[in-house]
Amino acid sequence: MTLQEKLEILADAAKYDASCASSGAARKDSRGSMGVGSTGGAGICHSYAPDGRCISLLKVLLTNACLYDCHYCINRRSSNVRRARFTPEEVVRLTLDFYKRNYIEGLFLSSGIIQSADHTMEQVIRVARLLREEHQFRGYIHLKTIPEASPALIEEAGRYADRISINIELPTQQGLTKLAPEKNLARTQEAMGHIRGKIEERFSEKRLPGRPKPPPFATGQSTQMLVGADDATDATILQRADTLYTGYRLRRVYYSGFSPIPEPSKLLPLAPPPLVREHRLYQADWLLRFYDFKVGEITTPEAPNLDLALDPKLAWALRHRERFPVDVNRAPRESLLRVPGLGVRNVDRILQARRYGRLRLADLLRLGLAMKKVLPFIEAADHTPIKLGLDDVKLRERFLPPAQQLELNFDPPPPSAEDDRSVRSGEL
Amino acid sequence: MQSIVIQPEFESWRDAARRLLLRGVPPYEVVWLDEPGEQGLFPTGASPRETITPPEPADRVPAAFLDLARMVSAHDDPRRWSVLYAVLWRIVRGGERHLLGMPTDRDVRLLDQWRKAVGRDLHKMHAFVRFRLVEGEEVGGREAYVAWFEPQYRIVRLASPFFQKRFTGMDWSILTPEECVHWDGESLHYTPGVPRTEAPAGDALDDLWRSYYKSIFNPARLKVRAMQAEMPKKYWKNLPEATLIRDLITGSGSRVEGMLGTEGREEKPAPKNAYLEKLAERNAGQSSPEEEGQ
Ligand code: SF4
């Protein structure tokens, strides 16, 4: 098999993993070395595919042969997909060649499980070791690890990688038992706890004068959860994400709408979930991480799934109209963050600007706010919104996408351009 | 009223602005003009910073303003020099030390918009430059690469340090219509711009890269608008992968139909494997976090 054929199979096998971030690594570069590579600061997307996803890393599997039988996965043992396997040296070569042409920020390496978890991890680690030690590669490396691999191997992987991850896959053990019978939620979280400890050790360096430096370790861990493959509600998904953020200090949880694959399983729904669901989950995720929202505010027992037609912050505001309008000249930061359409950046600019005078609508316009969305919820020096005493239905209608779109097509609306932007920037 | 003709770059503006400030010339008495036909290039690679000794200004200028001015200078709006000077004047002579902290001020907002536009161009240059290996040019075991890029603004000097830090271990040049930069392992050199024909048209690796691009694309998630928002068409002509975009989009519908029309595969039994057997045993005995009430 040629290298090109292998690349096609093993990139195709890796594309269902949504994470591509190359940000948040420690600052390092190639000055003073014979090699190439730098990391630190925001990662760079070197290209975009027509699916709108950022291409920042060479994302491949070492092999797509796998002992496991995860039903949503093209590489599971029951799939008839063509199998291929890179040698570690081939991946090293590809990474360096792509990197030097500025196609990529680095490597995201994962693998189907062959022989055993430890054997698989050893192969993956070998690639990272060759890159770092033989080629002085200082670019980004993200390694996927296996919860069942021995802790010593996970630690070794973390020494070479900027980011390591274990996919949680589904938010409940019931879901896993049905769709990924080899996987176990408790073991995954236990491994995440171990990684968390290592990451914290790394950052505690400064607090221990006189003690030997702990070995270098990845600066963060992330995970991916599949959406729409089982019947878990958004509330369940967000609850799990919240546990991972608070209990395990994950950098990012990626939500990946289950996507049809060429080798479908009998156990899976035929139709994929609407793409907009994944969008709403990302928006809710930003609310959890940066806007001080609790899961219980975003979803409720009566409505455990997010409103597909409205972003979750707007949906929350419409349920809590008694908390508006918020006065942009007086309200504390927490209240401003609750205003639909006011993102973290804009809130900070408002706080800065109002130190020098009372803000009027013209000032807000100059700040570049999404006025149409913001106006009903705020008060400014020269603006009081018409009381939000409109009845429920009407107020909601104001924010819905144009009606004819809904009539012609009974599907939930596709994510709007504004949604796309908010998911990327986190400005809600 | 006086006219100040400068080379269109930060250092020229800064030196002129310092002199005007020292003489107490208010902004409304100055007309700023870009030197016609002058590209402001220093062919030997000497930086203008080293060749001009500026007079010491009596007034201190905040570092944040100088950073902002350096970025804004790369923009092509002819008003940038006068707005920069007006803001500088207000900060230093007008008693508005906090001016940059006022995002609602018209001039500050204008500068901020220009800075953002230049920042975006810079970011896209870091992302979309594509180096091509120049075969047979290895000097002392170092590979040599050349890239062609067309930035929107005059950002070559702003963009270079990034490439220097990242690609220390190889020789490279980035050619653009206005200015070129070269790295030889020791220092950066700048030369005047060249036409596109000076740069190699492709690289042997481009095909492999296209294979990757094609394979990493998921046809079931077509979002052309999202792609174009981040990778506008104007960049496509210098991206080897962009030639595939049209076919990937038009072919995606039938690929998805094919997948949805495929009958679900039966499960295959687990192969005999010691590790899998152990795993099955562990799974049978392991409780889940929900049962533990987590
Ligand atoms: S372990 Fe599961 S998800 Fe990972 S490659 Fe194997 S079958 Fe796919």
Side-chain angles (χ1 to χ4, degrees):
Chain A
M1 201 183 287
T2 65
L3 186 63
Q4 177 161 357
E5 284 172 297
K6 287 189 192 180
L7 178 61
E8 277 169 15
I9 294 171
L10 294 168
D12 189 86
K15 75 179 165 205
Y16 301 98
D17 205 305
S19 76
C20 78
S22 54
S23 54
R27 211 165 272 285
K28 57 178 181 292
D29 61 49
S30 54
R31 279 178 298 180
S33 82
M34 295 299 287
V36 293
S38 62
T39 58
I44 297 174
C45 294
H46 287 272
S47 193
Y48 289 82
D51 52 21
R53 281 182 166 170
C54 155
I55 301 180
S56 137
L57 302 170
L58 170 63
K59 182 159 63 178
V60 289
L61 262 54
L62 198 51
T63 174
N64 65 338
C66 191
L67 284 171
Y68 287 19
D69 211 19
C70 311
H71 287 270
Y72 44 80
C73 177
I74 171 98
N75 308 312
R76 70 190 187 284
R77 64 169 185 257
S78 296
S79 154
N80 298 322
V81 75
R82 198 170 165 216
R83 309 286 171 170
R85 181 174 181 170
F86 279 133
T87 64
E89 288 74 15
E90 284 172 328
V91 181
V92 168
R93 196 67 268 148
L94 271 176
T95 307
L96 292 172
D97 280 345
F98 278 14
Y99 197 88
K100 288 177 181 171
R101 282 152 185 85
N102 204 37
Y103 298 154
I104 53 169
E105 291 286 286
L107 172 69
F108 177 5
L109 187 62
S110 171
S111 180
I113 294 166
I114 42 170
Q115 282 183 44
S116 69
D118 278 356
H119 173 80
T120 310
M121 274 314 296
E122 280 163 8
Q123 304 297 306
V124 166
I125 290 169
R126 189 175 145 72
V127 174
R129 189 192 314 121
L130 283 172
L131 278 169
R132 291 282 194 239
E133 289 178 358
E134 305 257 301
H135 299 277
Q136 297 168 34
F137 178 66
R138 312 236 169 118
Y140 197 88
I141 297 182
H142 177 165
L143 297 180
K144 181 63 62 65
T145 51
I146 307 164
E148 287 79 18
S150 69
L153 284 174
I154 294 190
E155 281 167 33
E156 198 184 349
R159 277 206 288 282
Y160 296 118
D162 297 284
R163 159 101 33 127
I164 60 182
S165 63
I166 303 176
N167 281 355
I168 194 113
E169 311 289 16
L170 296 167
T172 65
Q173 182 58 46
Q174 287 123 277
L176 286 176
T177 305
K178 185 169 161 228
L179 295 179
E182 283 83 13
K183 294 197 172 171
N184 180 281
L185 190 61
R187 281 204 304 269
T188 298
Q189 291 195 163
E190 197 186 309
M192 286 174 167
H194 172 220
I195 293 171
R196 172 191 169 172
K198 285 283 145 197
I199 293 173
E200 278 168 8
E201 227 173 76
R202 170 196 208 285
F203 284 111
S204 71
E205 216 169 290
K206 288 180 216 84
R207 279 184 274 128
L208 298 166
R211 296 268 296 276
K213 258 169 89 165
F217 200 79
T219 52
Q221 64 172 325
S222 58
T223 196
Q224 164 166 298
M225 234 186 305
L226 270 174
V227 176
D230 64 353
D231 51 14
T233 61
D234 292 339
T236 307
I237 292 171
L238 290 170
Q239 200 61 61
R240 179 60 58 200
D242 195 48
T243 303
L244 297 179
Y245 284 130
T246 52
Y248 300 85
R249 300 278 170 81
L250 263 75
R251 274 283 173 90
R252 273 306 283 280
V253 173
Y254 290 91
Y255 306 90
S256 180
F258 158 70
S259 174
I261 49 173
E263 286 283 321
S265 159
K266 283 182 92 157
L267 292 189
L268 275 187
L270 257 184
L275 281 183
V276 69
R277 183 172 175 204
E278 186 189 293
H279 252 77
R280 297 287 175 236
L281 282 166
Y282 275 115
Q283 290 174 318
D285 185 272
W286 289 102
L287 293 183
L288 288 179
R289 288 189 296 150
F290 302 113
Y291 292 77
D292 267 333
F293 274 74
K294 301 274 165 286
V295 176
E297 294 178 301
I298 300 171
T299 56
T300 59
E302 305 77 55
N305 286 307
L306 298 169
D307 189 334
L308 293 182
L310 297 180
D311 82 63
K313 196 184 191 189
L314 182 56
W316 174 85
L318 291 178
R319 288 197 302 271
H320 293 90
R321 276 168 294 155
E322 74 285 356
R323 307 208 15 188
F324 297 96
V326 164
D327 185 343
V328 292
N329 285 301
R330 259 189 288 264
R333 189 165 190 275
E334 312 84 82
S335 312
L336 289 171
L337 281 176
R338 295 264 161 168
V339 175
L342 276 194
V344 175
R345 222 185 48 230
N346 278 327
V347 166
D348 290 340
R349 293 165 83 200
I350 286 175
L351 292 174
Q352 198 181 21
R354 78 185 188 187
R355 300 215 306 258
Y356 307 108
R358 284 174 52 76
L359 300 178
R360 313 173 73 82
L361 286 189
D363 296 319
L364 300 180
L365 209 60
R366 242 173 269 139
L367 287 177
L369 302 189
M371 297 303 263
K372 200 173 147 227
K373 193 165 185 182
V374 171
L375 278 185
F377 299 99
I378 58 158
E379 244 178 276
D382 54 351
H383 166 77
T384 349
I386 347 148
K387 270 274 153 252
L388 294 174
L390 299 155
D391 66 85
D392 224 351
V393 187
K394 280 231 182 85
L395 191 55
R396 188 170 185 278
E397 265 170 13
R398 260 176 77 167
F399 295 101
L400 287 178
Q404 82 275 26
Q405 208 177 326
L406 287 179
E407 275 161 28
L408 288 177
N409 156 5
F410 292 95
D411 291 336
S416 67
E418 197 194 323
D419 285 329
D420 277 342
R421 231 172 295 125
S422 92
V423 163
R424 280 196 305 271
S425 66
E427 296 291 311
L428 287 162
Chain B
M1 183 65 68
Q2 53 181 298
S3 297
I4 302 284
V5 182
I6 56 164
Q7 288 173 351
E9 34 184 52
F10 170 69
E11 286 79 7
S12 313
W13 173 82
R14 183 194 57 192
D15 294 336
R18 272 181 176 157
R19 280 192 294 270
L20 291 167
L21 210 53
L22 279 175
R23 290 188 357 236
V25 184
Y28 54 80
E29 287 194 1
V30 192
V31 178
W32 295 84
L33 296 168
D34 285 358
E35 185 151 8
E38 177 56 70
Q39 297 298 314
L41 288 170
F42 296 81
T44 55
S47 141
R49 247 159 288 168
E50 292 148 15
T51 54
I52 297 166
T53 336
E56 266 315 302
D59 318 274
R60 288 188 38 86
V61 179
F65 176 79
L66 289 178
D67 291 343
L68 175 69
R70 201 180 296 276
M71 292 283 277
V72 165
S73 301
H75 202 277
D76 58 6
D77 193 303
R79 294 170 298 168
R80 67 197 183 287
W81 307 124
S82 59
V83 176
L84 276 173
Y85 188 61
V87 168
L88 178 64
W89 178 268
R90 286 171 65 193
I91 291 176
V92 177
R93 289 291 164 89
E96 295 185 76
R97 297 289 302 179
H98 62 268
L99 183 55
L100 289 187
M102 278 185 59
T104 45
D105 182 86
R106 269 181 53 186
D107 286 348
V108 171
R109 174 150 169 78
L110 209 50
L111 291 182
D112 198 50
Q113 280 169 345
W114 289 332
R115 182 187 55 78
K116 260 205 207 121
V118 170
R120 186 176 155 89
D121 199 32
L122 207 50
H123 186 77
K124 294 302 177 195
M125 178 161 175
H126 292 157
F128 296 151
V129 153
R130 295 286 183 260
F131 284 115
R132 271 81 198 253
L133 181 65
V134 186
E135 305 281 354
E137 291 258 311
E138 279 116 276
V139 187
R142 290 169 66 88
E143 291 172 326
Y145 290 83
V146 176
W148 170 254
F149 194 73
E150 294 166 53
Q152 184 171 355
Y153 305 113
R154 302 173 53 90
I155 55 169
V156 170
R157 284 168 195 252
L158 290 172
S160 304
F162 166 85
F163 292 105
Q164 179 192 346
K165 286 183 213 157
R166 174 160 290 193
F167 299 107
T168 310
M170 61 195 221
D171 290 350
W172 51 263
S173 298
I174 301 172
L175 314 182
T176 87
E178 289 223 37
E179 188 172 19
C180 306
V181 54
H182 315 271
W183 168 254
D184 58 7
E186 303 212 325
S187 56
L188 293 170
H189 299 275
Y190 297 94
T191 55
V194 294
R196 186 182 184 171
T197 45
E198 296 286 307
D203 185 287
L205 256 283
D206 283 350
D207 272 338
L208 216 47
W209 171 241
R210 276 190 280 261
S211 295
Y212 178 70
Y213 184 82
K214 183 173 74 182
S215 311
I216 205 72
F217 161 63
N218 184 347
R221 305 176 53 102
L222 202 59
K223 277 198 208 166
V224 180
R225 198 186 47 211
M227 169 188 65
Q228 285 200 22
E230 295 296 339
M231 195 167 82
K233 275 196 170 152
K234 67 174 178 193
Y235 295 108
W236 291 13
K237 65 176 188 288
N238 293 319
L239 294 171
E241 65 271 27
T243 54
L244 299 173
I245 293 175
R246 240 203 26 215
D247 288 352
L248 288 179
I249 294 172
T250 49
S252 62
S254 59
R255 284 171 72 189
V256 176
E257 271 168 40
M259 291 189 254
L260 292 176
T262 307
E263 205 176 323
R265 306 279 186 249
E266 298 289 343
E267 283 176 80
K268 284 184 195 158
K272 213 168 153 36
N273 170 285
Y275 168 74
L276 269 189
E277 278 159 24
K278 233 178 52 219
L279 203 58
E281 249 168 63
R282 279 180 83 180
N283 283 350
Q286 192 135 22
S287 63
S288 70
E290 294 102 77
E291 286 157 20
E292 288 158 7
Q294 205 174 344

